[in-house]
Amino acid sequence: MITRTIFDFAARQPDKTALVHDGKIFSYEAFATRIATARGFFARMGCVGPGVAALALTNLLDFWTFSLALRSLGLTTVAVPSPQGLGELGLPDLRLVVASAAESWPGLIEACEAIGVGLLSVASLDGEAPLGLDPGATHGGHILQTSGTTGAHKKVLIDPSFEEGFMRHRRQVAGIGQDAVVACFSFGGWNGAGYKSPVSTWFAGGTVTIDQGPKTHLSLFEPGVTHATIIPGLLAAMLAEPEGAFPRRESLRLTVTSGTVTQDQIDQTKARITPLFFNRIGATEVGSFASTPLNTPDDHRWHQLASDVQIVDEHDQPVAIGETGRVRVSTAGGPTGYLHDPETTRAFFKDGYFYPGDLAVFRADGRMALQGRVTGVINVAGQKISPEPIEDALRQALGVTGACLVSAQNAAGEEALHLVIETPAPLDLAMLTAVLQRELGGFPGVHVHYSPALPRNDMGKMLRQAITALATGTG
């Protein structure tokens, strides 16, 4: 259990830095004391498990303090990004909502009343007596929410019974040890990156840095940072900084996830930020299952596996080398389903494997290339295509930050293809026409739309339902 591990490190290495939040340093001893003080407060308020406590907090120092304290008292925790997110949880065992009096969330009181759950607003922990851990006490887990790119956020329970082993795999893939200083930016505790990066680091006895300032991406260049996982949007913000805005770090291990980057961005990253640049593929449900150092143009597409991954046909039989099929990843040592959702669990979990919805192909050396999403396949003029490879080619050729292909029925009931391009201004027509002819020449009547910012979730993944509504005027 992660709370017990932090307390153990507080006894063994009390002065080692556990957390740096917005420049404020907390040793393992100070961090454990803060958690123990929160334990005293919550115990006095009767916040003891079983059941679920939802955390409505923006401040990540408070989130980690309260979550770890509540879990050590037997409650399971879940983070929500907004009052609307609270209403969408649908958890039958939700007991209370915890907030901070220092934050004001408009609509939070009404959201709690709507679901009939009490709100506990923590004004201060000053004067509270720290409450140490109880040997042998039952600890609660933490619920993560999936990206919701298809419109629904599924819930994954990280149970303390497997959490340490689950995080050990992440540490091994990322190369995180006791001396690691991991920049976690400002990712929230409801998503995989926001939760797994700090917890896996604390299990190793390393240091976590969190920056919630206006230029959170620049926290990557704080002294001593050795590791970071970044999303394409944050990387683009870094590369938009002027020359000399940050130092190049020869030993920084930087990993991009939750989306693709262009070859130009890879080249700039290696020239301006660090030569140790990796691409990682993973899922909230199973963690990281591919990690590839980006050293050659080939590495951008062909991924090195980091878990038991298979590519299978519709009968769940492995396909031949070079044949496209569905990806499935072993669930050994991790979650085996979605919380309170047996129907969706049956659709995505089967025979010890999780099916993330990706299409892929193996080549003879064991590397894997993604071929799009099963749910993202679009039908145009009777042809079924996976849009992601085409979108990637379009982004690179057009020099834009995003391109999304969707199909929708027009007024005549026919399927029409729409391309939504993320750019602040229309592109040169001749250049655009040439690129579309090359990449989409086989598909007639492509409707082109421009958007300064495509709808995305907090991890930067495109929300295809919202983009379809934008393109068709139904949103």
Side-chain angles (χ1 to χ4, degrees), residues 71-103:
R71 291 182 63 186
S72 71
L73 292 169
L75 283 160
T76 291
T77 58
V78 60
V80 292
S82 66
Q84 179 185 0
L86 179 63
E88 295 171 351
L89 282 177
L91 293 169
D93 48 353
L94 182 62
R95 281 185 48 192
L96 75 155
V97 176
V98 177
S100 169
E103 297 186 28

Side-chain angles (χ1 to χ4, degrees), residues 202-258:
W202 287 323
F203 267 123
T207 300
V208 169
T209 71
I210 295 173
D211 191 332
Q212 297 189 261
K215 285 197 172 184
T216 181
H217 57 278
L218 293 183
S219 65
L220 178 65
F221 305 101
E222 292 177 358
V225 171
T226 61
H227 294 72
T229 297
I230 196 170
I231 60 176
L234 278 180
L235 180 64
M238 286 186 196
L239 296 177
E241 294 286 336
E243 290 290 340
F246 48 77
R248 186 172 187 268
R249 296 282 178 80
E250 294 291 331
S251 59
L252 170 66
R253 178 169 172 146
L254 182 63
T255 299
V256 65
T257 189
S258 295

Side-chain angles (χ1 to χ4, degrees), residues 235 254-256 261 266 269-270 274-279 292-294:
L235 180 64
L254 182 63
T255 299
V256 65
V261 292
I266 295 172
T269 298
K270 294 173 77 71
T274 176
L276 306 179
F277 193 29
F278 292 74
N279 185 17
T292 310
L294 294 169

